[in-house]
Amino acid sequence: MSEQAVSRLEMKGISIAFPGVKALTDVNFTALTGRAHALIGANGAGKSTLMKVLAGAYGHYTGDIAIDGRDVRIRTPKDAKERGIQIVYQEVDTALIPNLTVCENIMLEKMVHDLKGKHLVNWKRLHRSAKDILQQLNVAVPTTVLVENLTLAEKQMVLIARAVSLQCRFLILDEPTAPLSHSETEALFSLVRLLKKKGVGIIFISHRLPELYEICDDITIMRDGMLVADDEIARMPQQQVVEHMLGAKLDGQFPERKPKLGEIGFEARHMRDPGKVNDVSIHIRKGEIVGLAGLVGAGKTELCRALFGASASASGEISLGGKPLRIRAPHQAVAGGLALVPEERRREGIFVEESVAFNLTAVVLSKFTRMRTWLSPAKERRASAEIIGSLGVKTPSEKALVRNLSGGNQQKIAIGKWLLADAEVYIFDEPTKGVDVGAKRDIYELVAELASRGKCILYASSEMPEMLGITDRMYVMYDGGVIKELVTAETNEEEILLYSTGGMLT
Amino acid sequence: MKAAESAQAKKQFDLFEFLYKYGTIIMILLLIAVFGAMTDNFLTQSTIIGILRQISIVTIIAIGLTVSLAVGGFDLSVGSTASVANALVISMFVWHGLSMGLSIAVSLALCLVIGLVNAFLVIKFKIQDMLMTLATMFVFQGVALTYTRGATVSQNMIMPNGDFATGVIPKVFGSLGRAPWIIIIMLVVVLIVHLFLTYTKHGRYMYMIGGNPEAAKLSGINVKKYRLAAYLISALLAGVGGIIIAARTMNAEVNAGSSYLMEAVAAAFIGYSVLGSGKPNAFGTFVGAVLIGVLTHGLIMMSVSYYAMDIVKGGVLALALAITYYRKAH
C-alpha cells in the first residue's frame, strides 16, 4: 500500500449466469488506485455480483480482468488476494471469529498462511503488528478485546485492518454504511480518505447518494446486470444518476383498480424500535393500498415486524378502526385482526415439512375444529381446496408437502393462509421476492381484490414499478424513518428513488 | 437416459422410505420370530405380559419426553422428576400417613412445579432446552436425594430420632405397579397423548412450534404458552412414571428414576420414524419402547449378560438418531 504509481484495474466484457438467471451481461469496469469509485444501482442490478467476480468468489464468469494492461487470472478468492484485491462484505459477522481477539482476527490470514511448519505463536510480535496496523489507520480499538464485544462499526474497522494488513491495492466495500450511525459513518469516511492518500483504490457500493458525492471521485451505474454509465462523479448530477438507475419502465402487468376509500381503518403512531425504526407514524384507509417504499435496509421489514408485535424491543400506539390495540406479541396482532406475510417466507411464513392443508389452516385452526378442540380433517380439506383453487396454487393435492412446491407457490401458501383468517389489515413484506412473472401478477390481483373488499393494505417493496403499479399512496423510508409521504398518482420513479436514496428534492 | 436415471433414483428412494416407515415394526416382528425360534418360552403369554409390564414405566416417561420434543424442546430432567415423585409419594405414605389419593395428588402437584421451573428457565432466558434441563436434571436429582437424606424410604424404616416410621403403604397402591393395571395405565397414557397430539388443535400448534418456531409465532400462536404446557405435561407424566416405580417396588430407592432417562430418549427417537411420521409422536414412542423391551428381554433369555444391555440400548439409540438425521439431510 505504499507505491504511489497509479495502477489501473480493468474488467472487460464480464458476463456471468446462474441457473435460470443471467446476472451480468458484458460489463466493463475500470478503477484506479488512489481514488474512490462509487458503484450504484437498484436492487438486483448486479453490483454485488460484479464485485464478487472481482474478489474471486465466482469462478465461472466469462471476460477478462487486467491490471496495468496485463491480463490476470482471478477465479478464486486466493487469486484475488494475491493481486492485492480485498473485499469487505456487508455481513461483517460472517468474516470474523467472535470468540477470538481483535489481534487474532486482524492477523487471521497471516496466522493461517505464515505459520506453516511452525507450531508456536509469537503473541508479542503478533500484537505489535496488529497494533501497528490499527495505528496507521487511526483506529482506536485495543487488540486484546474479543471481537464479539465490538460494535458493528468497530468490526468493520477490524475487517478493513485485516484487508490492509495483506497486500492491498484495491479495497471493495460492499454497502459499508448501511448499518452505521452518522458519526460512525464519518469515522469510516476519514479512514477511506486516509487509504486513498496511501494509494489504495476504493470501490464503494452504496445506495445512499449523498455519501457517494461526499467521498467518491468516479461513479459507475448499473442496471439489470449491465453497465449504463460511468464518469467522474462531479460531472454527474444526482438527478441523472437516478434516471440512469431506473431506465425503461416495465409493462403494465398490474390490475386495473378503482379504489373506494373508506374512513381510516388502521393507524400507528410513534412506532419505534431502537436502532431499526425511528418514530414512524402511518395510517391506512379502508380499501386503500399504502406502499412502504425504500431500498433494502431502509427499515421496511423492521417496521412491518414492529407493527405486528414481532419485535420485543418495539414500541408505539396502534389503533384499528379508531379503537386502540395492545400488541406486544404476534398472537395479539392476529387476534386484533392483523395479518403479516413476511419477507423470509421459508423461515418465517411456512412449515416446509408439513402439508399444504396444515399450512393453510395454521392461522385459524379453531375454525376447523369440533368443540374448539378436535380437528376436523374434512373441514380442513374443503377450505384448503378452495384456497388452492382461488389462488391457482400448483400442487398435486392439499396433502402434498410444501417443501416440494416452487417458490411462487410457496409464497401463495404464505399469503393464502391469511385469506382464511379474514383479517382487517394485511401487511405484505416483499411479497413478490423470488417469484416468477406469472405468479407476480396473481399476487398483485390478490392484493387488489383484498383492497376492494375494504381491507387496509400495507405493501412494503423495494421495487419502484410495484410501488407505482399497485399502491394508492406511499411512505418512503430511509434510514429507519419515513422521509416522505407521496400520492402515487402524482409521483414518478425518479422522485421515489431520490427520496429512497436520501437525496433532497426541493 | 435422464428419465431412466431419475426413475432409478426414485426406486431407491422408495426403498429407503419403506424401511424408514416400517423398519421398526418389521424389526420387532423379526426379533420376536428369532427369539421365538431360539428359546423355548419366548412366545408365551407370560413373556409378552412380562415385556409390556417391563416397558410401561419407560413408556410413560418417554411419552412425556415426546411432548417436550414436539415443541422443539428436550426435557432431560424427566428421570430426576420421576425420582422426586417416587420419593415424595412413598414419604407421604410412610412419613406423613396420608391417604393414597392425597399422596398421589401432592406428588403430582410438586412435579408440575418442576415443569414450571424448567419452562421458566427455558422460555425466559432462551437457553437451549437440552443444556438447561441437563442442569435442572442434576438439581432435581439432588432435591430427591436431600429430601430422603440419601436413604431408601420404606415401610417401618428407622427415622432420624430412632423411632420406626408408622405410616403404611396401602396394598391397593401396590396393585398399580402390577399387571394388568400397570399396562392399562401405560396404554391409556399413550392413547390420550396420541389423540392430543394428532387430533386436537393444541397438538397441531405444538407441532407447528416444533417445525418452525418463527413461522408459528408469526402465525399468531402463543409460542410461550404452548412451550410451558409441553413442559408441564412432560413433568406430569414423569411424575406418573415415578409413582408407578414406587408402586412396583413399594419403596423409594435413591435415584430410582434416573436410569429410565436414556431408554426414554431412545424410545422417543426411534418413534420419529415409525409409520414415516418424521416427528416425535406418541404411538411411535410406544413402538420404540416395545422394540427396546423385546430386544433386552430376548437377549436376557438367551443368557446375554445383563451388564451388556446398556451397549444394546445405546446402540439402538445411535441407530435411531442416525436414521432420523440421515433422512433430514436427504
Side-chain angles (χ1 to χ4, degrees), chain A residues 305 347 358 373 375 417, chain B residues 199 201 204 212 214-215 219:
Chain A
R305 289 182 67 90
R347 202 170 63 74
F358 183 108
T373 304
L375 294 175
K417 70 178 195 182
Chain B
Y199 294 105
K201 174 176 89 172
R204 173 72 64 86
N212 187 344
E214 188 64 23
S219 298

Side-chain angles (χ1 to χ4, degrees), chain B residues 251-271:
Chain B
N251 64 20
E253 281 171 42
V254 168
N255 286 345
S258 317
S259 58
Y260 290 96
L261 171 65
M262 283 319 292
E263 258 180 78
V265 172
F269 275 97
I270 294 168

Side-chain angles (χ1 to χ4, degrees), chain A residues 165-185:
Chain A
S165 81
L166 308 163
Q167 189 206 11
C168 180
R169 283 193 287 179
F170 292 95
L171 178 63
I172 305 162
L173 300 175
D174 189 356
E175 287 203 52
T177 56
L180 299 187
S181 71
H182 189 71
S183 59
E184 288 169 337
T185 304

Side-chain angles (χ1 to χ4, degrees), chain A residues 108-260:
Chain A
L108 193 69
E109 309 224 357
K110 291 218 161 141
M111 286 179 76
V112 174
H113 298 299
D114 297 358
L115 285 181
K116 275 206 182 101
K118 298 183 205 159
H119 294 281
L120 293 176
V121 178
N122 185 339
W123 287 110
K124 219 168 161 186
R125 193 180 329 149
L126 212 59
H127 273 279
R128 206 184 314 126
S129 326
K131 219 176 272 176
D132 283 348
I133 295 167
L134 289 176
Q135 234 156 38
Q136 281 176 35
L137 299 178
N138 284 330
V139 176
V141 180
T143 57
T144 49
V145 180
L146 293 187
V147 160
E148 62 190 357
N149 298 329
L150 299 183
T151 66
L152 229 140
E154 287 171 329
K155 285 179 187 169
Q156 235 170 34
M157 299 289 182
V158 168
L159 273 184
I160 294 173
R162 181 199 290 171
V164 173
S165 81
L166 308 163
Q167 189 206 11
C168 180
R169 283 193 287 179
F170 292 95
L171 178 63
I172 305 162
L173 300 175
D174 189 356
E175 287 203 52
T177 56
L180 299 187
S181 71
H182 189 71
S183 59
E184 288 169 337
T185 304
E186 281 307 311
L188 178 75
F189 283 178
S190 55
L191 179 55
V192 168
R193 288 194 193 94
L194 185 79
L195 287 172
K196 272 199 320 197
K197 224 175 281 165
K198 285 180 188 283
V200 178
I202 308 279
I203 300 166
F204 198 94
I205 303 180
S206 174
H207 278 132
R208 301 179 177 185
L209 279 177
E211 287 176 6
L212 297 180
Y213 280 88
E214 186 180 341
I215 193 83
C216 293
D217 307 291
D218 308 300
I219 186 166
T220 293
I221 303 160
M222 292 183 71
R223 187 178 68 231
D224 300 332
M226 282 180 274
L227 177 133
V228 282
D230 56 352
D231 205 340
E232 278 183 30
I233 203 160
R235 291 198 297 210
M236 183 93 75
Q238 285 196 20
Q239 199 69 51
Q240 204 182 334
V241 172
V242 170
E243 276 164 25
H244 280 310
M245 281 168 75
L246 290 171
K249 305 210 174 2
L250 273 177
D251 302 334
Q253 49 168 328
F254 298 98
E256 287 286 324
R257 297 179 52 234
K258 284 189 202 71
K260 283 199 296 283

Side-chain angles (χ1 to χ4, degrees), chain B residues 71-73 119 122-123 129 209 223-231:
Chain B
V71 293
V122 167
I123 295 167
D129 301 56
I209 294 164
V223 175
K224 288 176 185 170
K225 188 173 97 182
Y226 279 96
R227 278 169 66 86
L228 168 70
Y231 274 95

Side-chain angles (χ1 to χ4, degrees), chain B residues 51-63 78-79 81-90 93 100 103-105 107-108 111 169-190 235-253 256-257 260:
Chain B
I51 291 175
L52 285 176
R53 191 180 58 209
Q54 187 202 326
I55 65 168
S56 16
I57 296 169
V58 174
T59 307
I60 293 167
I61 295 174
I63 293 286
V78 285
T81 309
S83 297
V84 171
N86 180 11
L88 276 171
V89 74
I90 293 290
F93 289 131
M100 183 166 141
S103 300
I104 293 177
S107 310
L108 291 182
C111 286
I169 304 172
K171 283 272 173 312
V172 192
F173 182 69
S175 69
L176 291 182
R178 288 193 299 272
W181 283 110
I182 187 169
I183 297 171
I184 291 172
I185 293 171
M186 166 183 76
L187 292 177
V188 166
V189 165
V190 171
L236 185 73
L237 289 180
V240 172
I243 289 168
I244 304 290
I245 296 173
R248 242 177 106 63
T249 57
M250 294 301 263
N251 64 20
E253 281 171 42
Y260 290 96

